[in-house]
Amino acid sequence: MKKPRVICHMMSTVDGRIIGENWGEDERIETFSRMYEKCHESFDSQAWMVGRVTMEKDFTKGQRPEPLRPENPMAREPFIADKEATSFAIAVDGKGKLGWNDNEINGDHIIEILTEEVSDEYLYYLHQKRISYIFAGKEKLDFKSALNQLKELFPIQTIMLEGGGHINGSLLTEGLIDELSLLIIPIADGTPKSPTTFEVSEYIQGRIATQLQLIEVKQLEEGVLWSRYHVNKV
């Protein structure tokens, strides 16, 4: 299978929580976030990828799309809106719910990963916004197909996966993550039902846990540990 190298880059508490509402002072959290971004930038990557919920929360701020009805049916085939782009923000948005102001985030061209059940109106909306998209599955997302297309259609060699627990868990259980880069901050959260770094949907529970091989550990400022692991494939 041809695919980009996938590095899951995350920040969590010592008990694996990834949502920071209960983590205390804003200034300290901003310090952790700067360390996270600095570590991100140390990798030679051309793209970063998150799920719809993370994209809405941290980037689009819940903006809704304003789709228009196209004159003709929209083909279910990839659309490359900017053939000159060299860096990318990838949004996993199977049903087509994200709204956008622009076709880039901080200079990174947006690519949507969709299923074929998305509406013609939404596809036309993305065309109007000059946002690229690919299809990966008819009703359910096929991440193997998505990664293969991202490799074939765009100049992407390495993707930083920075999604929520479910998208991380989905790629992990399919053996699609090559490396885990994890910043562990010195906070014990304990919030019940709070999302964690990897979450596995009920329909794929019971599979053997993924084995990791430690590559490196660094102690950063503020008591943060940065651990990197090779992901052993089944």
Side-chain angles (χ1 to χ4, degrees):
M1 173 188 172
K2 293 183 178 180
K3 73 171 187 67
R5 178 172 177 79
V6 177
I7 301 172
C8 183
H9 181 56
M10 297 292 292
M11 179 171 69
S12 80
T13 61
V14 295
D15 52 341
R17 266 63 171 184
I18 59 175
I19 302 299
E21 277 78 359
N22 298 322
W23 293 357
E25 304 170 7
D26 290 343
E27 183 176 343
R28 193 179 188 210
I29 301 307
E30 288 176 5
T31 299
F32 294 150
S33 296
R34 286 194 296 270
M35 281 189 275
Y36 174 84
E37 293 299 330
K38 185 176 180 180
C39 292
H40 173 121
E41 292 168 3
S42 71
F43 291 96
D44 182 18
S45 63
Q46 298 77 43
W48 52 276
M49 180 164 72
V50 299
R52 178 185 60 82
V53 174
T54 300
M55 189 64 80
E56 283 185 342
K57 176 178 177 290
D58 295 336
F59 298 97
T60 70
K61 306 304 180 184
Q63 180 172 329
R64 298 290 90 190
E66 298 176 357
L68 301 173
R69 184 176 297 276
E71 294 182 3
N72 301 302
M74 303 292 292
R76 298 309 190 260
E77 58 188 27
F79 173 59
I80 303 175
D82 185 354
K83 296 183 179 180
E84 304 300 319
T86 58
S87 62
F88 305 90
I90 304 169
V92 180
D93 184 24
K95 298 184 183 299
K97 295 184 177 181
L98 288 168
W100 304 98
N101 282 320
D102 203 349
N103 70 345
E104 64 177 33
I105 299 174
N106 298 326
D108 299 328
H109 178 66
I110 297 167
I111 306 170
E112 284 233 27
I113 298 178
L114 307 168
T115 61
E116 293 183 18
E117 70 175 2
V118 69
S119 69
D120 283 6
E121 288 81 1
Y122 190 73
L123 295 181
Y124 187 61
Y125 169 76
L126 295 181
H127 267 257
Q128 296 297 103
K129 291 288 186 181
R130 305 300 298 171
I131 291 172
S132 297
Y133 58 78
I134 61 173
F135 293 96
K138 292 186 177 297
E139 297 179 357
K140 294 183 179 180
L141 287 164
D142 180 344
F143 286 109
K144 291 182 180 179
S145 173
L147 291 176
N148 180 68
Q149 292 178 70
L150 291 170
K151 174 77 170 181
E152 294 288 339
L153 299 174
F154 302 91
I156 300 175
Q157 299 299 317
T158 301
I159 293 174
M160 303 298 290
L161 173 63
E162 302 176 308
H166 286 289
I167 182 175
N168 293 346
S170 294
L171 270 74
L172 186 71
T173 56
E174 292 188 41
L176 299 175
I177 295 176
D178 300 287
E179 181 178 329
L180 170 62
S181 167
L182 180 63
L183 271 71
I184 303 175
I185 61 174
I187 292 176
D189 188 336
T191 303
K193 299 182 179 180
S194 179
T196 57
T197 304
F198 294 105
E199 308 221 351
V200 179
S201 299
E202 291 183 1
Y203 73 94
I204 55 176
Q205 284 186 353
R207 296 185 59 171
I208 298 173
T210 302
Q211 300 296 314
L212 307 177
Q213 181 179 349
L214 184 64
I215 300 172
E216 182 181 34
V217 179
K218 291 183 179 179
Q219 182 171 338
L220 308 180
E221 59 185 294
E222 298 292 334
V224 175
L225 291 179
W226 181 22
S227 301
R228 293 176 57 194
Y229 300 87
H230 172 75
V231 179
N232 295 335
K233 305 299 174 63
V234 177

